[in-house]
Amino acid sequence: MKKGRWLRSAVLGGLLGLGIYSCHASDGKDSMVDVDKELQYCDTQIKRTLYEVKQNEYQLPRRIEKEEAAWYLTDVYDWTSGFWPGILWYNYENTREETIKEHAVCYTEWLEALLNPEHKGDHDLGFQLFCSFGNAYRLTGEERFKKTLLAGADKLAGFYNPKVGTILSWEHMVEVMGWPHNTIMDNMMNLEILFWAARNGGKKEYYDMAVSHARKTMENQFRPDATNYHVAVYDTVTGAFLKGVTNQGYADESFWARGQAWGIYGYTMVYRETQDKEFLRFAEKITEVYLERLPEDLVPFWDFDDPAIPDAPRDASSAAIVASALLELSQLEDNPEKAVRYKEYAIRMLGSLSSEKYQSGDSKPSFLVHSTGNYPGGYEIDASINYADHYYIEALIRYKKIEQGIRLSENLYPDRENKNSYTGMLSF
């Protein structure tokens, strides 16, 4: 018996006890998620969107509210603007259809406006540019996409405060909320473009900036029980941590699901980039507290501490983000049993998201329903949201590669210059 199959069998009993299990075909491969079927579903929904949206200039799909059936469109400056072109690039990666590529290129090129000097930008430049131009460069190798990525990293690095050791997230909140320097958990995702740039012609200190940000966030933005604050507020003069607050969760001390999802994904990525085991252990720690609180179908309520549970809204976007992260974490793990466990959880999450309960089906052109964007703000509640769809298709692509025997760290990055320079680098 192969070692991988033995490990799967050895931990299956424990997973059954937790309600985390999957069916296996006779050849030992996972059969819970028909990945080709689900990717075909995504392709169908994407083509519906392209037909219905008609590619209005500088307008991109963002959300479909619960009672609506059509996409609300947003402009290129919205923090979510990179997710739709990212979805198109993942679809192109799977289908290799030239028409999809043409749409992906068009929507990606629109985002060059983010580099205009008149647009100040903020920490979301990582989301906006790495999902779009990052995938464009990874899949085409065109230098123009690389040039934009490097310029985006330069602009993002301008928000780094060396006194604090993190990137400023919301400049407008300095005045509105009286937060001298604030860093939100979402910002962990934006470090990826800095790591990439440091290896691909950008400034080498971008690596140090990203590591500093991750360490400061690890030290200050998580409670002793490993749950997260959405926002960490710092003194700009001394760099001291002042307080943690939760802007989009139920309360400052509540356990906001998507914030934890950003953290799980972010620290998995930071470990991949640094190979520092401290980040791996931390990724495990914050993953475990998230998994312990999940409902039976593994799609969390928007905030684990909402007193309205079980009648509170779910957040499919958190499940999609974590499923994608755990697939990568399962391959980075140095503990074989945890590796199998994390993969099993990811498969179950994808299984739930691929069910009739969470797929939009014929009712909407999105992939998923039941995501929650900003409950306190009163919008995107029990809705379809583009970042839920983005991480869902990303997770499906990652799962397909794993089932094909591909290591994600060898097929993940838009990195064509230094592919042999460190462990985990992309190979082309």
Side-chain angles (χ1 to χ4, degrees):
M1 183 179 289
K2 292 182 179 180
K3 182 179 180 182
R5 194 173 300 176
W6 179 88
L7 285 169
R8 192 183 301 277
S9 299
V11 300
L12 187 55
L15 294 169
L16 285 165
L18 292 169
I20 309 304
Y21 61 93
S22 66
C23 301
H24 302 287
S26 58
D27 63 358
K29 291 186 177 180
D30 304 299
S31 60
M32 167 172 284
V33 179
D34 185 338
V35 68
D36 289 324
K37 175 185 175 184
E38 303 313 331
L39 285 169
Q40 179 58 54
Y41 163 74
C42 292
D43 180 64
T44 298
Q45 300 299 85
I46 286 167
K47 289 171 180 173
R48 283 181 62 189
T49 294
L50 289 170
Y51 176 77
E52 294 179 17
V53 168
K54 302 297 186 186
Q55 203 155 315
N56 297 313
E57 189 172 7
Y58 296 101
Q59 296 289 301
L60 305 96
R62 167 159 175 163
R63 65 177 179 262
I64 306 175
E65 296 287 1
K66 182 178 180 179
E67 304 302 328
E68 301 294 330
W71 284 104
Y72 168 83
L73 304 180
T74 190
D75 63 29
V76 297
Y77 302 106
D78 187 83
W79 79 271
T80 70
S81 62
F83 295 122
W84 172 241
I87 288 168
L88 291 171
W89 283 114
Y90 280 128
N91 192 43
Y92 169 68
E93 182 174 10
N94 184 59
T95 66
R96 295 296 169 175
E97 290 186 27
E98 285 300 311
T99 301
I100 295 297
K101 180 182 177 183
E102 290 170 7
H103 286 294
V105 169
C106 179
Y107 280 104
T108 296
E109 289 176 339
W110 287 353
L111 270 64
E112 287 189 29
L114 295 166
L115 298 179
N116 291 341
E118 312 88 69
H119 175 61
K120 188 170 181 58
D122 57 24
H123 75 103
D124 287 318
L125 285 162
F127 273 127
Q128 293 164 322
L129 297 177
F130 212 67
C131 295
S132 55
F133 286 90
N135 277 310
Y137 182 54
R138 178 173 67 87
L139 293 170
T140 70
E142 294 185 26
E143 285 296 306
R144 62 193 179 110
F145 296 134
K146 176 184 177 182
K147 183 178 178 180
T148 300
L149 285 170
L150 290 173
D154 291 341
K155 194 165 185 175
L156 176 63
F159 293 95
Y160 180 77
N161 183 326
K163 285 282 188 180
V164 177
T166 71
I167 294 168
L168 173 66
S169 293
W170 289 332
E171 187 173 44
H172 66 283
M173 287 295 200
V174 173
E175 182 175 342
V176 173
M177 296 297 293
W179 298 340
H181 179 94
N182 63 85
T183 297
I184 68 172
M185 189 59 63
D186 317 36
N187 211 336
M188 286 298 303
M189 307 290 281
N190 296 304
L191 303 182
E192 196 164 14
I193 193 173
L194 296 180
F195 281 120
W196 175 86
R199 299 193 310 272
N200 286 273
K203 295 179 180 179
K204 299 301 181 184
E205 56 261 38
Y206 291 171
Y207 177 97
D208 297 328
M209 288 181 183
V211 171
S212 173
H213 183 106
R215 289 196 184 283
K216 289 290 185 179
T217 300
M218 181 170 62
E219 293 167 1
N220 297 312
Q221 214 157 332
F222 290 86
R223 307 178 187 94
D225 66 356
T227 63
N228 76 98
Y229 289 110
H230 183 196
V231 188
V233 181
Y234 298 91
D235 187 291
T236 54
V237 177
T238 66
F241 172 69
L242 299 178
K243 62 180 178 179
V245 297
T246 299
N247 191 63
Q248 292 177 4
Y250 178 76
D252 285 346
E253 297 298 326
S254 69
F255 185 6
W256 179 48
R258 195 168 73 252
Q260 200 79 0
W262 294 138
I264 292 166
Y265 192 113
Y267 281 98
T268 297
M269 174 270 296
V270 171
Y271 172 63
R272 174 229 298 156
E273 293 289 338
T274 64
Q275 297 296 296
D276 185 334
K277 291 295 178 71
E278 183 180 10
F279 291 124
L280 174 59
R281 300 283 87 86
F282 192 70
E284 293 170 344
K285 182 179 180 180
I286 62 177
T287 295
E288 291 302 324
V289 69
Y290 176 92
L291 297 180
E292 287 169 4
R293 297 285 297 274
L294 288 174
E296 185 176 354
D297 67 0
L298 306 186
V299 177
F301 295 97
W302 75 283
D303 190 301
F304 290 103
D305 293 324
D306 185 342
I309 292 172
D311 298 320
R314 299 296 187 100
D315 184 21
S317 74
S318 295
I321 294 161
V322 172
S324 186
L326 292 186
L327 287 169
E328 181 175 15
L329 185 57
S330 73
Q331 289 194 328
L332 296 174
E333 260 297 338
D334 57 6
N335 181 317
E337 291 188 3
K338 286 185 177 180
V340 174
R341 183 167 176 267
Y342 291 150
K343 182 183 176 185
E344 296 286 350
Y345 265 108
I347 295 165
R348 281 299 304 275
M349 290 172 187
L350 280 176
S352 285
L353 293 174
S354 300
S355 69
E356 290 185 3
K357 179 178 179 180
Y358 290 101
Q359 285 193 341
S360 303
D362 294 336
S363 66
K364 306 173 193 285
S366 54
F367 302 162
L368 303 175
V369 291
H370 303 318
S371 289
T372 299
N374 190 336
Y375 188 92
Y379 62 91
E380 294 180 339
I381 300 170
D382 199 20
S384 296
I385 307 177
N386 60 6
Y387 49 83
D389 288 1
H390 178 274
Y391 290 103
Y392 176 65
I393 194 172
E394 179 185 85
L396 290 172
I397 292 287
R398 287 182 169 188
Y399 179 48
K400 184 172 183 176
K401 290 175 181 177
I402 289 173
E403 292 301 282
Q404 292 172 339
I406 297 171
R407 285 197 62 81
L408 299 179
S409 59
E410 297 172 354
N411 195 249
L412 190 60
Y413 276 115
D415 187 330
R416 293 173 176 262
E417 289 186 359
N418 305 304
K419 62 184 179 182
N420 298 315
S421 64
Y422 89 116
T423 301
M425 195 67 64
L426 175 70
S427 61
F428 280 86

